[in-house]
Every structure is written in C-alpha cells, then in structure tokens.
C-alpha cells in the first residue's frame, strides 16, 4: 500500500499546475499570525478571537458554522481551468472573499481599520511585531521563502519582490517589510497550498 501511494502519479507530480489546493481562510490567517508571532491581548474587555472569526467569515469560512454537511465548500466545485478536477475550496473564492483576504493582510500589517468592522486589529487586541522580519530586502525575501513558502519560492515571485523592494517608492525599512509581506501573502504561491 505504501509503495502504491508513494509511486502514484499524483504523488510524484508536485510541479504540475494541477497540484495543490486553495489555502482555506483560517489556514491563511493562522500561517500569517503564527509566523509573525502575533499576540492576542484580551485585557480591558478586548475580544480578538471574535474579531478574527468575523474576518474569517467575510473570507467565506465562518469557523464552527459550516453551511452544510459538506463543510464550507460545495463538493463539486471544478478547479479553475479544468473540466475533470474538482477544487472544493474554490467554491468560496470570489471577488468579495479575495478582497477580504487582501483587506485582512493590509489591516494586519498597516494597522488600518478592518473593512466592515470599523476597528483596527491592534485596537481589538491583535498585536503584531515586525521585528522578526529581517531588515534588508534580500533577507526579507529569504525569510518569506523559508517561513511562508517552505523554501519553494518561484523565480517569478522572487523577481517581483526584488523589483518591488528595489523601487525608490518602497519607503523605509518598515514599509519595505510590510510591502514584501503583503505582496507575498497575495501571491498564488502562498494562496495555493502545495
């Protein structure tokens, strides 16, 4: 059985474009929050967990409240660009949920108000410390590659991040850190879990 599993064509074609699945909203949030060592401050009546759950719901995954017995996703959703493969996670991906993903990352990194909530994540008790992220562009890219992409960054994403961080409009070190993290979080390499 083990040999059959490991030698199966699907198991051996990791580089295939049809390989992987859309990262669920809660998985995306957990990856970003854990890698940045985010602290949840519940003092003074703050309830960051409830806010994070509401944000996940705007991304299409209301934790502990799946809409059907098939969980959060319609089981027969076709994978983009395929007539034979199914990709249930793509059933909750539309322009609204994609925008909600981008808004969450932006609000987390820049401290802006969360769309639809009227509060910032920091004021709700989600404390971000960017000191874990290196301060030079090359080191930032290497950190993202290691911590977020498990050393599997594509040359295209590497070049895009390098160009963005090398642009004179990228700003100071803190803005470069935020820019690199935001662009990487929205990249297909992170959105699709392989």
């Amino acid at each position: 059985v083990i040999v059959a599993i490991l030698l199966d064509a699907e198991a051996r074609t990791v580089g295939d474009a049809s390989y992987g699945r859309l990262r669920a909203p809660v998985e995306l949030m957990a990856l970003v929050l854990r890698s940045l060592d985010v602290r949840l401050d519940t003092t003074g009546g703050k309830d960051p967990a409830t806010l994070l759950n509401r944000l996940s719901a705007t991304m299409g995954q209301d934790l502990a409240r799946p809409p059907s017995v098939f969980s959060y996703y319609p089981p027969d959703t076709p994978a983009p660009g395929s007539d034979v493969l199914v990709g249930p996670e793509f059933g909750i991906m539309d322009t609204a949920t994609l925008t909600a993903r981008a808004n969450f990352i932006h609000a987390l990194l820049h401290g802006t108000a969360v769309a639809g909530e009227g509060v910032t994540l920091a004021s709700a008790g989600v404390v971000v410390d960017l000191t874990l992220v290196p301060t030079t562009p090359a080191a930032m890219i290497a950190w993202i590659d290691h911590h977020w992409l498990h050393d599997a960054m594509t040359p295209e994403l590497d070049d895009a991040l390098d160009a963005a961080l090398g642009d004179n409009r990228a700003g100071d070190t803190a803005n470069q850190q935020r820019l690199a993290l935001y662009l990487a979080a929205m990249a297909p390499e992170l959105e699709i879990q392989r």
Side-chain angles (χ1 to χ4, degrees):
V1 171
I2 293 172
V3 170
I5 291 171
L6 294 177
L7 296 180
D8 185 86
E10 276 188 43
R12 300 175 63 80
T13 55
V14 175
D16 184 10
S18 64
Y19 176 76
R21 66 178 185 84
L22 181 68
R23 196 179 295 272
V26 171
E27 293 170 336
L28 174 69
M29 293 172 76
L31 171 73
V32 172
L33 295 174
R34 285 179 180 164
S35 66
L36 294 175
D37 201 22
V38 169
R39 186 174 51 86
L40 301 182
D41 178 11
T42 58
T43 61
K46 296 175 186 171
D47 189 9
T50 299
L51 176 62
L52 291 172
N53 187 47
R54 285 198 311 258
L55 293 174
S56 176
T58 65
M59 295 182 225
Q61 189 178 22
D62 190 355
L63 201 59
R65 293 183 185 91
S68 80
V69 296
F70 297 110
S71 192
Y72 303 97
Y73 324 110
D76 57 349
T77 304
S82 175
D83 294 333
V84 294
L85 296 175
V86 293
E89 296 85 0
F90 287 100
I92 63 170
M93 180 62 86
D94 58 23
T95 54
T97 57
L98 184 60
T99 301
R101 285 175 179 244
N103 287 342
F104 164 71
I105 298 295
H106 188 273
L108 181 70
L109 297 174
H110 293 278
T112 56
V114 179
E117 295 293 332
V119 298
T120 65
L121 288 167
S123 67
V126 180
V127 182
V128 179
D129 182 10
L130 293 179
T131 58
L132 290 174
V133 182
T135 56
T136 63
M140 284 180 215
I141 294 170
W143 186 91
I144 290 168
D145 184 25
H146 181 70
H147 291 279
W148 282 9
L149 301 171
H150 311 291
D151 300 318
M153 184 180 289
T154 62
E156 294 82 11
L157 179 57
D158 189 318
D159 292 344
L161 290 175
D162 192 45
L165 294 173
D167 191 293
N168 61 357
R169 296 170 290 177
D172 62 8
T173 300
N175 283 333
Q176 288 178 350
Q177 289 171 316
R178 291 182 186 101
L179 176 63
L181 293 170
Y182 181 79
L183 292 175
M186 295 294 95
E189 288 87 344
L190 188 76
E191 293 286 335
I192 303 297
Q193 186 175 8
R194 299 188 191 273

